[in-house]
Amino acid sequence: MLYIAGMFKRYPSLSTKKNMIFNFPYSKVFYSICLVLCLCSASAGEALKSIETGHTIMKVRSASADGAPFIVASTYEGTVLGVRYDGSIGWSQPLSGYMNHDIWCEDLTNDGNDEILIANADGAIYCLSARGNILWEFKPNEGGHVPPMYAVCVIRDAKQIPYVVCGGFDKSFYYLLANGKVVKEVKSRDYSTIRPFGPGASHLPKVNVHTINFLRPVPQPDGSDVLAMHASNNHMQGRGAIYQFKPLADQPYMDSGKLQVPTVVGDFNVCDPDGDGAYEILLGTSWLGKDAMTIYDPKTAKVSSYNLKKIGSAGYRVTQSVTIPDGESFRYLMLSGNYLVTVAPDLSAKSERKINGKYAYNDVWQDATGRLLLASSQSGGSCIHILDTTQSGWQDAFVHLDPPGKIQAILKNTEEARQQLASFEKPAWEREPIPVYSTWAKKKGIAKDRLVQDLIEHYDSPVFLNSCSSNKENWDRSSMPSEIYRNKRDRRMKYVLTQQQVLDKLIPNYEDAPGIAYWVGHGNDPYMYQLETTKKVLDAANGKKTVLILPELSDTFGEAGYVIGDLFNPLAEYAAENNANIFFRSKNVFWQGDIYLPEWSNVVSGRFAKSVVPSMEETTDRTMELSLVGRMGLWASGAVDAWGMRCSRDNPSFDRSRQHSYQRLPNHFLRTMVFSLANGSSYMNNTYVDMDHMGLALELVAKGALFVPKREEIVSFSPVHLSMKTPDEHYLSNAVNHKVTTYYDRDFEEQNPFVFGRTNAVWPAAPNTEWDFSRYAAGVADRRQHFIPPYPRGTVLITPPQAGVFADLDAPRGQMVDHLHPLYRDIMQEFITDGRHYYSADGKQTYAADEYYQTVAAAIEQGKAQLPLTVAGDVAWVAAQSADNHLRLTLVDSGYLNPQARTALVQFHAVKPIKITDVLTGERLEMTNADSAAIDVPLGLFRLIDIEFTK
């Protein structure tokens, strides 16, 4: 009962002035209602219920209309749903079509119906009625360059007047009336005590400013609320601070100072666990390997943290905390990954109880009766799950929760594809598969996997290299001219080995393996081993393949030129002579930015084409559709002979403050692998999650069902390509500043349009501008996780300049058309950019991004008619010529985290098809009309199509 009392105080919409409950929390009326609620809950008799919505649900909240509770749900696409507890969907509101970062439900008008407040990535606050109608919207900057709204709530003053409070990445928060009218703006610069730390990528961020992470009301004894704010200036490393404001105040009356929490704050929940008016703020971490709940006392600013013991495999998780009844007391309950963990009020480690579920979920919310609302499985699920912890068996129900809907469709479709593959025979007209290298196999571990072992024994490709590691070399750097790298060490590593000990650790891994793969360095320290040590390893390989993985090397410290000349260039040259590759796993916009700086000219020229393999570590990046065509553009130009992919556990995380990146069913990886391989990627550096699922891609390669093309076989490149001159400095610094959230400058944004814009930490899930390459070329609407982009008019490559004053006509790579399919010989059209502007080929004219993009977009539209075919319908695609009169068309469900059954609209241009056949099923597909076909792509899957055409 005390627990339910606390719930009323936590949810003001249930404690309105209308029924006087809020003003008299200990009255007989109040306890009578509590008792009724307890009885109703107890009689429900159902510990777990799943509601299928057909959408990937990212956030869930509870609301009330006409005395009846309902669920408010936000989809991946930003649509808001009103869902009844009986499972029916009452209404659907698409809003702006962009992500919703926060939701708050409360009765603003005292009519018994909650309003729904949405903080949207387009920079607006939307207010919906309980029936889903838009009542009003507020956007602080109507000029078009407003960053996302990130937090919203309602607070009340002593007279019970409600105020909507909202804020985000413009470094201010706003008080609004119930009708959306602005009362005041409060700028963080006027009160913030938060200071930046560490070196800025291009310049230090300003001191004493911050962005808004969370806003929540803390109820007070007089019926008013205090506004509790969590503020931060760095979503990857900053702990931030908690400020508390009286209603309409400009200055906080309490400042936590530097917040003593284990790491980044990813959850913020105000609760009264005992129902005695002593409110707590439960903070949850958002990080890798630091799963914790911190209890913050809003009266004293004291904190106490509970660090979860190791739960499951390491992963990026948000710990979300609530309280649940436990007899006459309560327990803290934490959702972290696929685990529910409960602990007693005294936070005793001995009281911890773990409940291991099958899946992780995108959100948890506690409704007014104490039931837990779980958003969809992070693996692409489509349900809302209602878990009643007052019912017996709720723990077991969570353990065995196997979500219906999309998850089951994914599993079913994947199994059907695997069964079809079992009877597949490679078409006689197709060549043998090219070698594809996997760097994830180990003698101890995954190589023992049944599937991998079978592939190793029976097929030549994929080639599984032995993944190995060692402690790092403790070598004398005293003569190194660069002070930065002389002293630089990766704090995650142990530098304890001599050169001989390193050799003794690494070289034996070549035995009984076609080669090895290991980290040779990192951007934190490229010199984990001295160059001579690595050369000795390559000498010992005796011709076997070696892949040297080098993550995150960039110009962070302003001395990349030294490392490139001293280490990278000689290593790349030596690797080319010894059947080795540098698997260069960079970040941000490296392959369409930094690589075009003068110090990297040897790579762009093609001098190291045999040894350098461009790949990406796209953690917190939001430009995947750009990095894809940047890597492929270098490959197509001849600068490199191969390109690589990486699928790892942190790829889904584009916002470290909300790191819901613990997918237990790696369907997003499966489709990314299929799409990358179909685009010609031949090196894989992927994290093992679920081989039974991910391994299907490897089976497809081994048996030849998935056609991995050579660059001269691909016919889905657009004839239009964008070539990079020396990159604009602000374009580069913008992309590198992906941690600090306070760089928003409205005047600069409005006066400086970019070809590749909104790439720093200010714009999570924000809309791309009309003139952004991602929108007009890639068909991508926002800055999010587009690993499988559609490029509906053909893949528009980003390449080295081919002609004009910016071209290196003496480069060893030669001309790009000499490396491509012959159809491109006379149809290529080049546009030049530095990431900010466009330029004429002679360098004499500069064109603004927000104007000239129309010329480029028109050329792309016209150029599609010169391709054999193009594909629309939110489906990713690749076409390659597999024989004189055959094309291989690969179609992939493009929803990285929101898989859907889709229809590919195939338009034929330069070929006339005779027969269209599904490679796996043998099904003959019919044309819709003389020059088009509609092909269904199963949810969470792909279609492999053979097209026979006339010459």
Side-chain angles (χ1 to χ4, degrees):
M1 186 180 297
L2 289 176
Y3 169 75
I4 300 298
M7 294 305 301
F8 270 96
K9 298 179 76 176
R10 178 184 171 193
Y11 297 96
S13 62
L14 298 176
S15 310
T16 63
K17 187 175 181 179
K18 183 176 180 180
N19 57 33
M20 300 301 288
I21 291 174
F22 191 86
N23 290 326
F24 302 98
Y26 302 108
S27 68
K28 294 181 180 178
V29 174
F30 180 78
Y31 278 109
S32 297
I33 295 177
C34 288
L35 180 60
V36 171
L37 284 173
C38 289
L39 292 174
C40 290
S41 179
S43 63
E46 189 174 27
L48 177 67
K49 178 179 180 179
S50 297
I51 298 174
E52 164 62 8
T53 70
H55 300 271
T56 299
I57 303 300
M58 303 300 291
K59 290 179 177 61
V60 284
R61 300 290 187 267
S62 55
S64 178
D66 298 325
F70 67 97
I71 300 167
V72 177
S74 176
T75 74
Y76 182 92
E77 299 82 4
T79 296
V80 182
L81 306 176
V83 183
R84 301 183 185 95
Y85 276 81
D86 66 7
S88 60
I89 296 177
W91 49 264
S92 175
Q93 172 55 257
L95 288 181
S96 66
Y98 298 101
M99 181 179 180
N100 298 314
H101 282 299
D102 196 15
I103 305 173
W104 189 261
C105 304
E106 183 146 351
D107 184 359
L108 295 175
T109 58
N110 290 328
D111 65 352
N113 298 313
D114 281 343
E115 278 70 44
I116 302 160
L117 299 159
I118 310 290
N120 193 268
D122 74 347
I125 295 294
Y126 293 91
C127 180
L128 308 183
S129 72
R131 289 165 180 79
N133 300 314
I134 298 178
L135 301 176
W136 52 261
E137 63 179 90
F138 163 71
K139 187 176 285 190
N141 173 16
E142 295 296 342
H145 287 282
V146 56
M149 278 289 182
Y150 205 59
V152 64
C153 74
V154 174
I155 65 170
R156 296 174 183 266
D157 64 14
K159 297 180 180 179
Q160 290 294 290
I161 297 174
Y163 297 96
V164 176
V165 191
C166 56
F169 290 86
D170 68 354
K171 294 170 285 189
S172 293
F173 74 94
Y174 303 84
Y175 291 103
L176 313 178
L177 295 177
N179 61 6
K181 183 179 179 180
V182 181
V183 177
K184 66 165 59 176
E185 173 186 2
V186 181
K187 298 180 182 294
S188 66
R189 70 188 183 197
D190 294 333
Y191 65 88
S192 181
T193 58
I194 297 177
R195 302 180 67 85
F197 54 91
S202 61
H203 61 282
L204 285 174
K206 293 180 179 179
V207 300
N208 299 338
V209 293
H210 63 244
T211 51
I212 312 301
N213 193 19
F214 287 100
L215 296 169
R216 292 293 182 258
V218 181
Q220 302 298 300
D222 68 350
S224 67
D225 294 312
V226 162
L227 174 67
M229 169 196 296
H230 181 262
S232 175
N233 66 354
N234 187 315
H235 76 115
M236 289 186 67
Q237 297 164 319
R239 273 58 168 175
I242 291 178
Y243 301 100
Q244 295 182 72
F245 297 80
K246 297 293 179 63
L248 297 183
D250 296 317
Q251 295 288 322
Y253 73 89
M254 182 176 284
D255 178 349
S256 68
K258 187 176 181 181
L259 194 59
Q260 299 301 311
V261 291
T263 186
V264 173
V265 173
D267 192 57
F268 191 102
N269 180 19
V270 178
C271 68
D272 179 8
D274 286 319
D276 60 359
Y279 281 86
E280 299 175 341
I281 298 175
L282 307 183
L283 306 174
T285 53
S286 178
W287 200 249
L288 169 66
K290 291 184 179 179
D291 307 298
M293 174 189 70
T294 297
I295 303 172
Y296 179 88
D297 187 336
K299 291 183 178 180
T300 65
K302 292 182 178 179
V303 300
S304 56
S305 293
Y306 185 80
N307 296 297
L308 298 178
K309 300 173 185 177
K310 180 176 175 59
I311 51 173
S313 59
Y316 291 83
R317 298 178 281 225
V318 179
T319 300
Q320 296 183 268
S321 306
V322 298
T323 59
I324 61 172
D326 185 30
E328 294 299 317
S329 184
F330 70 93
R331 291 178 71 85
Y332 293 104
L333 180 146
M334 293 155 273
L335 174 68
S336 192
N338 60 316
Y339 279 80
L340 289 175
V341 181
T342 70
V343 66
D346 63 1
L347 303 184
S348 166
K350 293 182 179 179
S351 71
E352 181 182 289
R353 301 171 189 166
K354 294 190 183 80
I355 307 166
N356 182 6
K358 293 183 179 181
Y359 294 91
Y361 299 90
N362 288 316
D363 193 19
V364 62
W365 186 260
Q366 198 167 34
D367 72 10
T369 67
R371 291 172 293 186
L372 303 184
L373 307 178
L374 300 177
S376 296
S377 161
Q378 292 175 23
S379 299
S382 53
C383 291
I384 298 169
H385 308 284
I386 305 171
L387 186 64
D388 189 346
T389 61
T390 67
Q391 296 296 315
S392 61
W394 67 270
Q395 297 99 329
D396 192 58
F398 180 79
V399 168
H400 294 98
L401 174 53
D402 204 356
K406 285 186 182 182
I407 294 295
Q408 298 308 313
I410 289 170
L411 294 171
K412 175 178 176 291
N413 292 340
T414 307
E415 181 56 31
E416 287 180 354
R418 186 168 261 123
Q419 292 175 3
Q420 294 160 2
L421 181 61
S423 58
F424 165 81
E425 293 186 8
K426 186 174 72 66
W429 56 81
E430 291 185 357
R431 59 164 173 76
E432 290 302 308
I434 63 174
V436 171
Y437 295 95
S438 169
T439 65
W440 78 39
K442 294 183 180 180
K443 287 183 177 179
K444 295 181 179 180
I446 195 170
K448 294 182 179 180
D449 183 276
R450 173 198 55 79
L451 173 60
V452 173
Q453 199 60 43
D454 180 70
L455 296 177
I456 290 173
E457 292 176 2
H458 297 97
Y459 299 95
D460 295 329
S461 182
V463 179
F464 292 91
L465 304 178
N466 193 7
S467 176
C468 54
S469 63
S470 74
N471 287 327
K472 308 312 168 191
E473 185 178 1
N474 183 16
W475 61 282
D476 182 8
R477 306 191 194 190
S478 60
S479 62
M480 187 180 290
S482 170
E483 180 180 0
I484 289 176
Y485 287 101
R486 184 167 65 243
N487 300 321
K488 191 69 177 170
R489 302 292 187 277
D490 190 323
R491 62 186 180 183
R492 301 168 297 180
M493 307 298 174
K494 295 180 180 180
Y495 293 78
V496 296
L497 301 182
T498 65
Q499 182 182 82
Q500 188 57 50
Q501 287 173 327
V502 170
L503 300 177
D504 291 344
K505 286 280 187 180
L506 294 177
I507 291 174
N509 289 283
Y510 284 106
E511 297 176 10
D512 301 321
I516 69 171
Y518 69 97
W519 272 31
V520 72
H522 189 280
N524 291 332
D525 177 21
Y527 291 93
M528 291 176 175
Y529 309 103
Q530 58 182 310
L531 179 60
E532 290 306 312
T533 302
T534 304
K535 287 183 176 181
K536 288 179 181 293
V537 174
L538 298 185
D539 292 341
N542 197 26
K544 288 188 174 183
K545 172 68 76 175
T546 307
V547 174
L548 306 169
I549 301 170
L550 182 58
E552 299 190 45
L553 179 60
S554 61
D555 197 13
T556 304
F557 303 104
E559 293 194 25
Y562 170 77
V563 179
I564 294 165
D566 181 67
L567 176 65
F568 186 88
N569 287 348
L571 180 58
E573 191 167 354
Y574 201 80
E577 299 168 356
N578 289 274
N579 192 25
N581 300 97
I582 300 176
F583 190 88
F584 196 175
R585 211 172 74 187
S586 56
K587 286 182 67 68
N588 304 312
V589 299
F590 188 93
W591 297 114
Q592 65 277 2
D594 305 59
I595 194 67
Y596 291 100
L597 293 170
E599 51 262 40
W600 290 107
S601 60
N602 281 317
V603 175
V604 176
S605 72
R607 178 183 169 191
F608 304 138
K610 288 179 61 177
S611 57
V612 173
V613 177
S615 184
M616 286 294 287
E617 182 162 340
E618 296 184 280
T619 308
T620 73
D621 293 4
R622 307 179 189 116
T623 52
M624 293 80 176
E625 70 280 358
L626 301 181
S627 74
L628 173 73
V629 294
R631 284 171 284 159
M632 291 182 65
L634 288 167
W635 177 56
S637 75
V640 296
D641 290 340
W643 68 277
M645 75 173 92
R646 173 185 183 257
C647 295
S648 193
R649 58 195 176 196
D650 50 1
N651 278 12
S653 174
F654 74 102
D655 178 359
R656 280 288 174 94
S657 293
R658 309 287 186 274
Q659 253 179 176
H660 295 286
S661 308
Y662 202 64
Q663 287 74 14
R664 300 293 81 201
L665 177 67
N667 183 253
H668 58 313
F669 286 172
L670 170 62
R671 285 177 289 119
T672 300
M673 290 169 66
V674 168
F675 181 64
S676 298
L677 290 162
N679 270 293
S681 177
S682 54
Y683 285 79
M684 298 179 291
N685 181 217
N686 299 339
T687 298
Y688 170 79
V689 178
D690 178 352
M691 180 53 75
D692 283 342
H693 193 79
M694 295 172 65
L696 176 58
L698 304 179
E699 294 179 87
L700 292 167
V701 170
K703 297 180 180 181
L706 178 58
F707 188 78
V708 181
K710 303 174 183 179
R711 58 190 162 197
E712 64 268 23
E713 294 169 335
I714 295 179
V715 293
S716 50
F717 296 144
S718 169
V720 174
H721 64 105
L722 209 59
S723 290
M724 285 292 302
K725 66 183 288 292
T726 302
D728 173 75
E729 181 180 355
H730 194 93
Y731 158 59
L732 288 183
S733 66
N734 218 16
V736 172
N737 290 329
H738 64 285
K739 298 181 180 180
V740 175
T741 58
T742 56
Y743 281 116
Y744 176 65
D745 183 329
R746 173 176 170 177
D747 291 339
F748 182 87
E749 293 291 340
E750 292 182 350
Q751 297 166 16
N752 294 274
F754 281 75
V755 176
F756 312 118
R758 299 187 172 181
T759 57
N760 64 22
V762 174
W763 305 96
N768 292 321
T769 60
E770 291 182 7
W771 55 86
D772 196 293
F773 175 91
S774 293
R775 184 181 286 272
Y776 75 75
V780 166
D782 58 8
R783 282 279 172 252
R784 214 162 167 183
Q785 305 137 301
H786 300 285
F787 283 91
I788 316 172
Y791 282 97
R793 289 169 288 277
T795 306
V796 183
L797 300 174
I798 300 175
T799 68
Q802 298 297 301
V805 298
F806 304 114
D808 180 2
L809 300 179
D810 297 322
R813 68 173 185 269
Q815 289 294 301
M816 183 165 68
V817 291
D818 295 331
H819 301 288
L820 299 181
H821 190 282
L823 79 88
Y824 294 102
R825 172 65 59 183
D826 299 315
I827 67 172
M828 298 299 286
Q829 186 175 1
E830 180 176 45
F831 293 92
I832 308 293
T833 184
D834 63 355
R836 183 174 188 169
H837 305 293
Y838 296 98
Y839 297 86
S840 60
D842 60 10
K844 294 181 179 180
Q845 292 179 287
T846 302
Y847 309 104
D850 59 345
E851 297 174 357
Y852 196 69
Y853 84 97
Q854 297 182 50
T855 300
V856 184
I860 294 171
E861 176 65 28
Q862 293 167 6
K864 72 179 187 180
Q866 296 173 296
L867 299 179
L869 57 89
T870 52
V871 179
D874 287 331
V875 174
W877 64 286
V878 189
Q881 187 166 2
S882 57
D884 285 346
N885 61 334
H886 285 268
L887 295 178
R888 270 298 207 103
L889 175 62
T890 303
L891 304 170
V892 184
D893 173 3
S894 61
Y896 184 65
L897 298 181
N898 61 322
Q900 293 282 3
R902 303 176 192 271
T903 299
L905 305 174
V906 184
Q907 187 75 33
F908 292 96
H909 305 293
V911 298
K912 183 177 178 59
I914 298 173
K915 185 168 63 173
I916 305 174
T917 307
D918 184 301
V919 169
L920 289 180
T921 67
E923 176 189 2
R924 175 80 176 265
L925 306 176
E926 300 299 326
M927 297 283 289
T928 305
N929 53 46
D931 58 3
S932 65
I935 301 176
D936 292 333
V937 179
L939 184 152
L941 215 61
F942 41 82
R943 293 289 291 272
L944 310 177
I945 306 297
D946 177 80
I947 300 171
E948 185 178 354
F949 60 92
T950 58
K951 185 174 180 180

